[in-house]
Amino acid sequence: MSLSTLPATMQAALVRETNGPFSIAELPLPDVPAGHVLVSIAASGVNPLDAKIRAGAAAHAKHPLPAILGMDLAGVVVQLGVGVTRFQPGDEVYGLVGGVGGLQGTLARYAAVDADLLAHKPKTLSMRESAALPLVSITAWEGLVDRARTDAGHQVLVHGGAGGVGSIAIQMARALGAEVFTTVKPAQFDRVRALGATPIDYTVSTPADYVLEHTADEGFDVVYDTVGGATLDASFASVRRYTGHVVSALGWGTHALAPLSFRGATYSGVFTLMPMLSGMGRAHHGDILARVAEWVDAGRLHPLVDDQRFTLDCASQAHARMASGRAVGKVVVDVA
């Protein structure tokens, strides 16, 4: 699309007040600063954090209303800002790019995006599938690769393996050569087995039970908590002595560190929003997504996308579907 054919305005799904509905607004096309690209958005992933921001329950996201929500996108680059050399108009890209920190979200026809936050989308995935990946895959990568240095031969326990981050973390740990276990409900056993993990019924098994059964009471090399709260406490009691590493994407509560300290193990937190909120480390997110795309195209990772489809003017229904707990996989809005 040439500059001469770009519209002057765009449609966006706008939330004007806390717990308010989405309304379609006609807004000016965003300017494209240096280092940014203008993306024609094809699809926008829906995340639980989007609903929390809409409900006014996510002060850490620093995204005041009225606002355009949505963090994940897949789309096509249509314009380059000064200094951008990694992309060309027509490139298909994906990324975790906005919807927090006052950055425009992805429930809109276009967004001006920091090029560092983007990567070329996986060649083997559709736009919808690609839009389901950025937040969850970056979160899984930062925990398993950046923090815990997961390696072949490790025993990895993923808490909440049927969820968005958990399901990708299982596949990622398997791709790294680890043996993977996950705590889920019995109804989710088949789903996580298909991903390559051994299921553990957390409703009847205590940490002491599954540490004894699966690790001969040694503890897991890596424990990834995607649930938070009491599950993080259970993680501290499940990790291998001395060399074990607990990672949490929801470590925001108050916790006793004694169980972790008595095992001589290590803890790391993952705060995936940091580069968008602070401006620091954004290029690393683009690098992670480039690696993820390689793994996807090599058949090592695949997103699970809910089969119900929503358009931009059905954003409220998409949020309701995500909140219902009935979605099988990631809810994605078709924007284009």
Side-chain angles (χ1 to χ4, degrees):
M1 184 180 294
S2 67
L3 294 182
S4 60
T5 60
L6 286 172
T9 62
M10 67 175 184
Q11 286 188 330
L14 194 64
V15 175
R16 300 182 185 278
E17 59 189 11
T18 301
N19 282 323
F22 288 92
S23 60
I24 297 297
E26 196 74 24
L27 302 174
L29 205 66
D31 294 328
V32 185
H36 288 57
V37 298
L38 186 66
V39 178
S40 174
I41 300 172
S44 170
V46 181
N47 293 289
L49 181 55
D50 299 322
K52 291 179 182 178
I53 295 170
R54 185 181 171 201
H60 65 285
K62 301 179 181 178
H63 200 57
L65 304 180
I68 300 169
L69 303 184
M71 294 179 280
D72 293 327
L73 67 70
V76 178
V77 173
V78 294
Q79 185 180 344
L80 306 180
V82 173
V84 175
T85 58
R86 228 166 25 98
F87 301 106
Q88 295 298 320
D91 284 354
E92 295 183 334
V93 295
Y94 76 138
L96 172 67
V97 302
V100 299
L103 299 173
Q104 183 205 302
T106 58
L107 287 173
R109 299 289 187 185
Y110 295 88
V113 176
D114 187 333
D116 282 346
L117 294 170
L118 292 171
H120 293 95
K121 82 168 190 62
K123 297 180 178 66
T124 54
L125 295 186
S126 67
M127 288 289 187
R128 280 174 55 76
E129 291 169 321
S130 297
L133 272 173
L135 175 62
V136 293
S137 61
I138 292 171
T139 304
W141 186 284
E142 287 191 341
L144 292 172
V145 179
D146 291 347
R147 308 290 196 278
R149 306 295 181 188
T150 304
D151 205 351
H154 280 169
Q155 287 186 300
V156 174
L157 174 63
V158 176
H159 286 300
V165 175
S167 62
I168 293 296
I170 289 171
Q171 296 177 71
M172 199 171 281
R174 290 272 296 166
L176 291 164
E179 181 184 12
V180 186
F181 304 82
T182 185
T183 54
V184 288
K185 297 176 182 177
Q188 299 165 327
F189 277 13
D190 287 346
R191 188 188 308 179
V192 298
R193 282 195 185 105
L195 297 174
T198 298
I200 297 169
D201 182 357
Y202 70 87
T203 67
V204 297
S205 296
T206 67
D209 293 335
Y210 49 75
V211 167
L212 178 62
E213 178 181 358
H214 296 295
T215 74
D217 208 32
E218 292 294 324
F220 296 91
D221 297 288
V222 178
V223 182
Y224 200 148
D225 162 39
T226 73
V227 180
T231 302
L232 181 52
D233 295 316
S235 301
F236 292 159
S238 305
V239 70
R240 183 177 290 274
R241 294 171 181 85
Y242 295 115
T243 59
H245 201 132
V246 175
V247 180
S248 180
L250 288 170
W252 302 337
T254 300
H255 300 269
L257 293 178
L260 183 74
S261 297
F262 288 146
R263 299 180 82 86
T266 304
Y267 169 78
S268 293
V270 173
F271 187 39
T272 316
L273 307 184
M274 184 76 78
M276 289 188 292
L277 296 176
S278 69
M280 300 170 58
R282 289 184 175 183
H284 184 51
H285 274 195
D287 292 342
I288 291 172
L289 289 174
R291 293 291 305 279
V292 167
E294 291 174 1
W295 283 22
V296 169
D297 290 338
R300 302 170 81 182
L301 288 176
H302 198 280
L304 183 60
V305 180
D306 189 51
D307 59 6
Q308 286 207 14
R309 301 187 76 122
F310 304 92
T311 53
L312 191 60
D313 57 352
C314 296
S316 294
Q317 292 94 315
H319 268 226
R321 174 71 174 173
M322 184 270 298
S324 72
R326 295 191 297 271
V328 180
K330 188 75 163 281
V331 174
V332 176
V333 174
D334 298 308
V335 177

